[in-house]
Amino acid sequence: MKEKEFRTASAARGGLLFMQNTPGVALGDRVRLQDYRGQIRNGQVIRSSDDLVLIQVFEGTDDLDLEHTWVRFLDQPFEVPLSPELLGRVFNGVGLPLDGRPPLISPLRRNVQGAPVNPAARAYPREFIQTGISTIDGLNSLVRGQKLPIFSGAGLPHNRLAAQIVRQASLPGEESNFAVVFAAMGVPHTDARFFQDDFEQSGVLTNVVMLMNLASDPPIERLILPRTALTVAEYLAFDLDLHVLVVLSDMTLYAEALREVAMAKGDVPTRKGYPGYLYSDLAEIYERAGRIRDKRGSVTLVPVVSMPSDDLTHPIPDLTGYITEGQIVLSRELHSQGIYPPVAVLPSLSRLMKDGIGADYTRDDHPRVASQLFAAYARALEVRNLAAIIGADELSGADRQYLEFTRAFEERFVRQGEDENRTLADTLAIAWEVLSVLPASALTRLREEDLAKYHRPAEISAPGAEP
Amino acid sequence: MADAPRILEINGPIAVVHLPGARNGEQIRVGNAGLVGEIIELDGPQATAQIYESTEGLRPGEPVAALGHPLSVELGPGLLGSLFDGVQRPLAGMLRASGDRIARGLDLPILDRQKPWHFIPDADLQPGATLRGGERLGMVQETPSISHQILAPPDVAGQLLDLAPEGDYTLEQVIAHVRQGADGAMRRLSLYQRWPVRTPRPYQRRDHAVLPLLTGQRILDTFFPLLKGGKAAVPGPFGAGKTMLQQQIVRWCNAQIVIYVGCGERGNELVDVLETLPRLTDPHNGRPLMERTLMVANTSNMPVVAREASIYVGITMAEYFRDQGYDVVMVADSTSRWAEALREVSARLGQMPAEEGYPAYLASRLSAFYERAGRVRTLSGQFGSISLIGAVSPPGGDFSEPVTNHTKDAIQTFWALSKELADARHYPAVDWSESFSGQIGAAAQWWTENVDARWEGRRAEALALLSQAEELARIVNLVGVEALSSTQRWDLEGAALVREGVLQQSALDEVDSYCSPQKQFLLLNCMLDIVHSGADMLALGVPVQRLLKLPLLAQARRYKSQYANDQLQALQRDAAQALRAALDPLRSEYVAAQNPPAEPQPAP
Ligand SMILES: Nc1ncnc2c1ncn2[C@@H]1O[C@H](COP(=O)(O)OP(=O)(O)OP(=O)(O)O)[C@@H](O)[C@H]1O
Ligand SMILES: [Mg+2]
């Protein structure tokens, strides 16, 4: 089809424009609209028949009229230009520059939708990334090519944590640093500023691509922004051989934009009004993380997902958890105890940890130490609840040791400074120090050899531990 | 031109096409890219089709062609060890054809057409004989452990004219001619056949399942057994361990053929299986596990309609091996993603949603799918079985949602995973109070005959101890442990021993990942022996605090990973010795203290 302009809009609502009599338009095609004031908007065809074409307008349909809206079907899919010049730049969701510099021009353009990776082409991610954060490195290790979201809530320090990860992430014994793709969807200006300043201070800004859609920007654009971001990330990883860390913040706001459009389209709502295809839609985004055989680079994904009313079972964190390879959950309780990073240890999980740690990657006792810490902390929290009911004095001697363990674990192991970059050896040393609060007989997930080597019960003696 | 078959509308994975004469279920190719799809609704000359590939770039007006057959799979030598997508396209072939990313509209042969297979005809079958559907023509030794039975397709019936002699044949070569039907039409048979996936393959009759499917996982085999030919569901919230549990079954179960269907889940999980299986050997015959395994992968980012098809592709291949007389296991991870694919298509068709947006036919589709499992007498008179294990991913981990609910009605064994257990890293996180098995009786018979006659009793005892401990834990959480009697405190510890020494089993522990039935029973027995002996001590007047301090309790929890499956004698000996060493001194101390005034023991 030749590029043609139409003025046959028949309806506009909720970010959707309905066009009549525009035959032969391809699904997914890019659209350029001109409104009555001559301003340009970007859109994409999401449904097509000869009599009716549905266009999703990324700048929204506010202030459009039907009469004077000119629609041009560009007869090409939604693509972004790609070149090494991307690094250090700032764009909006559709790939237009926001940094006052000229648009990127490159013969290489790719469809932001991306084609699915053949599962047979993937390489299993197993290279341990040291983030310098004990609750991550010790208990929920991140590996190159993993997708590991941060589940958070309003007012919790997910941004600081994400920034700390970006700053500190490194491969032990390797110099190469990460390139960063930072995608902001609906976040407040202050949050975006925070990241920008942080990147600037740590001197990585030239290694960062930022894609920004702020709280005040049109929400529909959030639908395409993570796709643009991941297209950029895939290019950096698989064409330029870089290890790329992608931070997507906030996926909940992305999903809300999706719901808005779904409602306008009249899609059948399922839980909390989200459409039934939300799972597949999120998977299309998250599954773009990974490694590919015979390719040097990797895409590691750290999405921020805020949990409405701190509810882990809310559809967005829930579906995210079903797709990602684990999650780091932040706890309001720890936060209010003043503990940073307030990582809720038990519900957090890294599924790729099992293959990224141990003798070959980190240290032989690492998996067992992690498993023991989880088990002991689970027990310890039960004891703490019990103590709250019957009073600490009524606890048995063994239970009092667990109470002490909780304190030591949260204060020594979980708590750390925002600039504190612990090596894995530091993390494991602290882990053993904390485990030494408990007697060897309580540590059955560790081997006797481990205990002989590292367990030092005398170092910290729990007050009143032995009856 | 106006009447030429063409696309009228594209809406996500759904296309409305003008295609007079199309049949429901028929395969079509749409658009210039030649994408493959399936007709699901007819309305006069218009048909609605679901497309297995991304529809981006399709335009109204592009051509459409009917292919004349429903979605079918190729069945024959070469299946084992392969990885297919949801509509049985070979992913390795696609990798060669289109690189790292899946291209659209590829038309690749499913099974290798060039490779010669050594066919040995059935000696009893002579030309002139009457051939019935499903009858055995001969075999191909596909892998050292699997001899691939070449069967007449189920819809063949007639007179065998000739049968190829022993020799090497490719899939396209004819190995037999059959004259069939009233008109005496000639039918050529080769080493492979096709079968429509939505039609169950026929068999003579159903039979009872009799033998347990041993998975090497204690919580499954000992506590909630599944029989060969049984149906099980594994529901659980994200991260609870559904995939790990299914992968453990894929690795260690004593079936002869294993089919792993990754239905709308993660790409990396399939890679994990692909990378680990070739390095592992079947504990039952020592052969590389890849030789018996076949995978269907339609990951979450692959097109949603092919995901819907994937479980039918998997089960049809399972039926094909069942028909050869094999015990087949199929795991599907996750059936919820399949149900969601169903929901998405139904929503796009504007069908009236029933519960939570799912179409009203969800329950009937689910039960019809599970119904394809079972143990049967095949058309050729052998016994074969399909055990079907489906993961369920309930939103928010809430088991009262439609997919979990309807699945529960269709299965016999329910392995419910709990978030609390998983959070405490108690794996497998199978919740013993929510789970059930409807097949204990038959399993007990096997255990009695092959392992130990006390199996059923000890199993029941352990479960009783666990549920009693849950009661006690509730009391403790209200008033503290001091409120319990000594016996109750010992019971709590006994339950903990069973939990940690028996139920907990890490898939990552090399020694403990697979546990033989003998070891399963021995471990259970060891723990219960400790519980009983401890209770005897309490009766003698030993304070419970002294029992709780015994190093034996920590020792016993490590038995599972200290003694391999071939070190059971040592385990038995050492465990008995450790028990004596721990308790004898206590016993003599308290018997001595009590003895001179030889008074009768008060009942505990
Ligand atoms: N039997 C086991 N032994 C050791 N670790 C386990 C076991 N089962 C689960 N795990 C741990 O739990 C993690 C999550 O398990 P898994 O991926 O099977 O969850 P899932 O229920 O399939 O989740 P989802 O629904 O999101 O796919 C694993 O990565 C592993 O770390
Ligand atoms: Mg899973």
Side-chain angles (χ1 to χ4, degrees):
Chain A
M1 187 180 83
K2 276 299 295 151
E3 248 183 53
K4 266 189 263 171
E5 265 195 321
F6 294 88
R7 210 182 53 172
T8 53
S10 62
R13 61 164 183 266
L16 297 178
L17 188 68
F18 296 70
M19 298 290 295
Q20 274 177 338
N21 301 319
T22 50
V25 174
L27 192 74
D29 261 9
R30 187 167 189 160
V31 176
R32 185 160 298 152
L33 284 73
Q34 197 179 9
D35 63 22
Y36 70 96
R37 286 193 297 196
Q39 299 220 321
I40 300 293
R41 302 185 194 202
N42 295 278
Q44 190 173 22
V45 176
I46 56 171
R47 182 169 173 170
S48 176
S49 69
D50 282 349
D51 349 302
L52 186 71
V53 166
L54 222 65
I55 299 168
Q56 174 171 292
V57 183
F58 295 120
E59 289 82 356
T61 47
D62 286 354
D63 198 31
L64 276 188
D65 70 347
L66 300 179
E67 187 77 358
H68 302 98
T69 298
W70 285 91
V71 173
R72 184 190 289 265
F73 296 96
L74 300 187
D75 204 20
Q76 50 174 264
F78 216 105
E79 293 176 330
V80 285
L82 298 166
S83 90
E85 314 273 286
L86 281 163
L87 287 165
R89 299 286 314 263
V90 185
F91 302 96
N92 72 1
V94 295
L96 300 173
L98 292 180
D99 50 8
R101 290 160 58 190
L104 198 75
I105 295 175
S106 167
L108 180 65
R109 302 172 64 83
R110 284 209 187 116
N111 188 335
V112 296
Q113 196 55 40
V117 175
N118 186 331
R122 285 185 187 269
Y124 194 70
R126 44 176 98 243
E127 291 159 306
F128 174 82
I129 297 175
Q130 183 176 297
T131 64
I133 299 164
S134 291
T135 37
I136 298 181
D137 295 352
L139 299 175
N140 298 291
S141 318
L142 178 66
V143 300
R144 266 183 185 166
Q146 184 170 11
K147 37 190 180 294
L148 188 65
I150 300 174
F151 287 0
S152 185
L156 295 180
H158 45 265
N159 287 333
R160 283 154 62 198
L161 181 60
Q164 190 175 3
I165 294 174
V166 168
R167 259 192 333 265
Q168 299 184 172
S170 67
L171 239 66
E174 228 180 87
E175 260 313 298
S176 82
N177 264 324
F178 285 91
V180 178
V181 174
F182 177 77
M185 289 160 282
V187 304
H189 179 259
T190 45
D191 288 12
R193 190 76 238 167
F194 165 81
F195 276 98
Q196 211 154 6
D197 290 349
D198 199 82
F199 296 147
E200 207 168 314
Q201 271 161 28
S202 45
V204 294
L205 210 48
T206 52
N207 241 353
V208 179
V209 185
M210 299 188 92
L211 293 118
M212 305 290 235
N213 170 284
L214 301 182
S216 50
D217 291 334
I220 315 291
E221 190 189 302
R222 293 168 203 162
L223 296 182
I224 196 136
L225 188 138
R227 295 179 163 82
T228 308
L230 283 157
T231 306
V232 168
E234 285 172 345
Y235 165 75
L236 297 176
F238 304 129
D239 290 48
L240 302 188
D241 291 342
L242 296 172
H243 293 290
V244 187
L245 199 60
V246 184
V247 177
L248 302 172
S249 180
D250 175 336
M251 286 305 287
T252 300
L253 299 176
Y254 165 84
E256 281 171 6
L258 187 80
R259 174 170 66 180
E260 195 175 322
V261 172
M263 293 221 167
K265 266 196 295 184
D267 288 337
V268 179
T270 59
R271 273 198 309 159
K272 294 215 156 79
Y274 291 96
Y277 51 81
L278 180 60
Y279 172 85
S280 303
D281 188 278
L282 289 174
E284 264 176 23
I285 294 172
Y286 295 140
E287 275 285 317
R288 290 173 80 167
R291 304 216 57 171
I292 291 181
R293 278 201 281 170
D294 311 323
K295 293 275 167 77
R296 293 244 295 281
S298 59
V299 176
T300 308
L301 200 57
V302 181
V304 172
V305 179
S306 61
M307 300 182 284
S309 20
D310 291 349
D311 177 9
L312 190 66
T313 66
H314 182 279
I316 314 304
D318 189 47
L319 292 179
T320 298
Y322 273 121
I323 302 165
T324 53
E325 284 139 350
Q327 64 279 339
I328 303 293
V329 183
L330 300 190
S331 144
R332 195 163 295 282
E333 205 181 319
L334 287 178
H335 182 63
S336 56
Q337 285 174 43
I339 292 180
Y340 174 90
V343 174
V345 165
L346 296 185
S348 298
L349 169 72
S350 163
R351 295 157 196 256
L352 298 182
M353 171 162 176
K354 61 189 170 67
D355 300 288
I357 63 166
D360 294 344
Y361 302 94
T362 56
R363 203 170 86 183
D364 176 52
D365 58 326
H366 187 174
R368 294 182 297 279
V369 167
S371 169
Q372 183 66 69
L373 282 174
F374 279 120
Y377 189 53
R379 168 87 201 274
L381 288 185
E382 277 175 24
V383 171
R384 185 153 77 183
N385 286 340
L386 179 61
I389 298 168
I390 62 170
D393 295 342
E394 298 295 313
L395 294 177
S396 69
D399 281 353
R400 276 202 296 275
Q401 288 175 330
Y402 275 102
L403 206 55
E404 172 56 20
F405 170 82
T406 331
R407 205 195 53 77
F409 179 74
E410 291 176 354
E411 291 298 333
R412 293 281 297 118
F413 189 86
V414 178
R415 182 198 287 281
Q416 72 181 84
E418 221 170 313
D419 292 315
E420 187 181 351
N421 190 354
R422 294 182 186 162
T423 64
L424 185 77
D426 294 342
T427 290
L428 289 176
I430 298 171
W432 274 106
E433 194 185 309
V434 168
L435 284 172
S436 294
V437 171
L438 296 171
S441 61
L443 305 177
T444 54
R445 294 203 179 187
L446 291 158
R447 295 204 183 131
E448 275 156 0
E449 308 93 86
D450 300 332
L451 291 169
K453 202 159 164 189
Y454 301 108
H455 189 234
R456 298 284 172 270
E459 272 174 29
I460 298 180
S461 69
E466 282 305 309
Chain B
M1 231 5 241
D3 211 39
R6 64 182 189 282
I7 300 176
L8 301 176
E9 179 183 346
I10 314 119
N11 177 12
I14 301 296
V16 180
V17 297
H18 177 79
L19 189 63
R23 276 196 306 273
N24 255 333
E26 189 170 359
Q27 295 277 285
I28 58 170
R29 280 203 177 261
V30 285
N32 298 327
L35 311 183
V36 182
E38 173 179 4
I39 304 281
I40 48 175
E41 263 185 19
L42 295 175
D43 183 8
Q46 284 189 17
T48 305
Q50 50 180 3
I51 315 296
Y52 305 133
E53 307 178 71
S54 161
T55 51
E56 216 197 318
L58 284 187
R59 299 168 195 279
E62 287 188 11
V64 175
L67 299 181
H69 58 80
L71 174 62
S72 309
V73 286
E74 286 188 1
L75 303 166
L79 285 175
L80 295 174
S82 302
L83 171 65
F84 298 108
D85 82 350
V87 288
Q88 210 204 15
R89 290 180 303 184
L91 285 168
M94 290 168 83
L95 187 62
R96 282 189 298 273
S98 75
D100 300 338
R101 311 257 160 186
I102 295 177
R104 298 183 298 163
L106 287 178
D107 192 5
L108 296 171
I110 293 162
L111 294 172
D112 189 338
R113 294 293 193 275
Q114 263 78 50
K115 183 165 177 174
W117 296 96
H118 192 74
F119 172 67
I120 303 175
D122 201 345
D124 300 337
L125 200 58
Q126 297 300 328
T130 312
L131 190 70
R132 280 162 315 168
E135 206 169 322
R136 188 171 178 272
L137 298 170
M139 67 96 141
V140 162
Q141 192 71 39
E142 183 170 352
T143 72
S145 53
I146 300 295
S147 73
H148 197 121
Q149 308 293 303
I150 305 299
L151 307 175
D155 55 347
V156 163
Q159 191 190 20
L160 180 69
L161 298 180
D162 56 27
L163 181 63
E166 178 170 347
D168 288 354
Y169 300 89
T170 64
L171 291 189
E172 301 282 23
Q173 283 177 298
V174 176
I175 57 151
H177 289 92
V178 181
R179 188 174 298 290
Q180 89 173 12
D183 55 350
M186 173 98 85
R187 179 128 177 216
R188 295 176 184 80
L189 306 183
S190 58
L191 290 177
Y192 82 103
Q193 49 185 281
R194 299 182 64 87
W195 190 263
V197 300
R198 297 187 197 276
T199 312
R201 283 173 64 92
Y203 46 81
Q204 271 187 36
R205 61 177 165 79
R206 284 192 172 261
D207 210 323
H208 291 298
V210 281
L211 294 175
L213 178 78
L214 297 171
T215 65
Q217 311 303 302
R218 293 183 287 271
I219 184 77
L220 307 189
D221 298 355
T222 298
F223 289 89
F224 304 103
L226 176 69
L227 298 184
K228 287 179 174 170
K231 315 167 210 177
V234 193
F238 64 79
K242 300 177 291 296
T243 304
M244 289 287 279
L245 194 68
Q246 289 190 319
Q247 290 186 353
Q248 285 294 86
I249 295 170
V250 166
R251 290 189 184 114
W252 307 126
C253 77
N254 63 343
Q256 293 149 308
I257 304 283
V258 175
I259 299 183
Y260 184 114
V261 181
C263 173
E265 294 287 310
R266 304 173 183 82
N268 282 333
E269 288 171 349
L270 291 151
V271 182
D272 193 12
V273 178
L274 278 178
E275 286 188 6
T276 47
L277 280 196
R279 285 188 271 120
L280 297 173
T281 52
D282 186 337
H284 311 280
N285 65 11
R287 299 296 313 166
L289 280 175
M290 210 57 205
E291 283 184 1
R292 68 169 198 188
T293 311
L294 193 166
M295 295 174 47
V296 177
N298 218 88
T299 55
S300 55
N301 56 337
M302 286 159 78
V304 64
V305 174
R307 184 196 301 170
E308 193 275 330
S310 66
I311 66 167
Y312 295 105
V313 165
I315 196 83
T316 308
M317 296 194 285
E319 287 173 342
Y320 172 69
F321 284 103
R322 171 204 68 190
D323 291 347
Q324 299 174 36
Y326 286 118
D327 289 318
V328 184
V329 163
M330 172 168 145
V331 303
D333 186 13
S334 157
T335 57
S336 295
R337 306 301 165 220
W338 165 82
E340 284 166 9
L342 209 64
R343 173 170 72 185
E344 177 164 353
V345 169
S346 130
R348 301 243 187 202
L349 297 179
Q351 289 168 348
M352 191 63 152
E355 312 150 89
E356 305 205 5
Y358 287 106
Y361 46 79
L362 171 69
S364 61
R365 292 271 174 98
L366 257 175
S367 61
F369 167 64
Y370 276 100
E371 205 47 29
R372 291 174 76 168
R375 181 164 177 269
V376 303
R377 178 142 196 152
T378 67
L379 292 179
S380 64
Q382 316 183 56
F383 286 100
S385 70
I386 299 175
S387 316
L388 185 50
I389 299 162
V392 185
S393 317
D398 172 7
F399 288 2
S400 64
E401 57 92 42
V403 182
T404 318
N405 252 333
H406 295 310
T407 303
K408 215 166 175 176
D409 295 336
I411 48 90
Q412 299 130 342
T413 295
F414 194 66
W415 297 319
L417 302 188
S418 118
K419 178 165 164 51
E420 283 68 40
L421 290 174
D423 277 358
R425 270 54 174 181
H426 171 113
Y427 297 124
V430 177
D431 182 337
W432 47 89
S433 51
E434 290 269 312
S435 302
F436 58 80
S437 163
Q439 304 185 313
I440 304 293
Q445 194 174 343
W446 181 89
W447 282 85
T448 300
E449 285 164 14
N450 293 277
V451 182
D452 197 298
R454 289 168 294 171
W455 180 80
E456 202 173 358
R458 300 240 117 171
R459 172 187 178 275
E461 192 189 330
L463 284 174
L465 186 61
L466 290 167
S467 82
Q468 192 194 347
E470 250 153 65
E471 273 309 309
L472 295 175
R474 265 192 282 279
I475 300 178
V476 171
N477 282 339
L478 288 179
V479 286
V481 75
E482 305 296 343
L484 298 186
S485 72
S486 297
T487 334
Q488 288 173 325
R489 286 188 68 178
W490 183 243
D491 283 346
L492 265 186
E493 176 61 23
L497 254 184
V498 170
R499 279 198 312 266
E500 293 166 37
V502 182
L503 300 188
Q504 232 176 53
Q505 183 178 4
S506 170
L508 310 174
D509 180 330
E510 253 172 62
V511 173
D512 202 30
S513 188
Y514 168 75
C515 184
S516 70
Q518 286 75 16
K519 183 175 164 188
Q520 296 191 21
F521 183 75
L522 205 55
L523 281 173
L524 178 60
N525 218 28
C526 282
M527 303 308 146
L528 291 179
D529 277 351
I530 296 176
V531 176
H532 293 160
S533 311
D536 293 346
M537 293 291 123
L538 293 179
L540 280 179
V542 179
V544 71
Q545 286 81 356
R546 286 196 64 183
L547 290 182
L548 294 178
K549 277 215 197 96
L550 290 174
L552 171 69
L553 299 177
Q555 257 169 354
R557 284 166 161 89
R558 293 198 180 94
Y559 289 158
K560 57 184 183 185
S561 33
Q562 273 169 349
Y563 296 87
N565 293 307
D566 56 4
Q567 296 172 321
L568 299 187
Q569 276 186 343
L571 168 55
Q572 195 156 19
R573 186 192 58 223
D574 295 354
Q577 211 165 27
L579 183 60
R580 275 199 308 275
L583 298 189
D584 283 357
L586 277 179
R587 181 179 295 112
S588 11
E589 191 182 320
Y590 279 81
V591 171
Q594 282 185 347
N595 245 351
E599 274 176 34
Q601 269 295 298

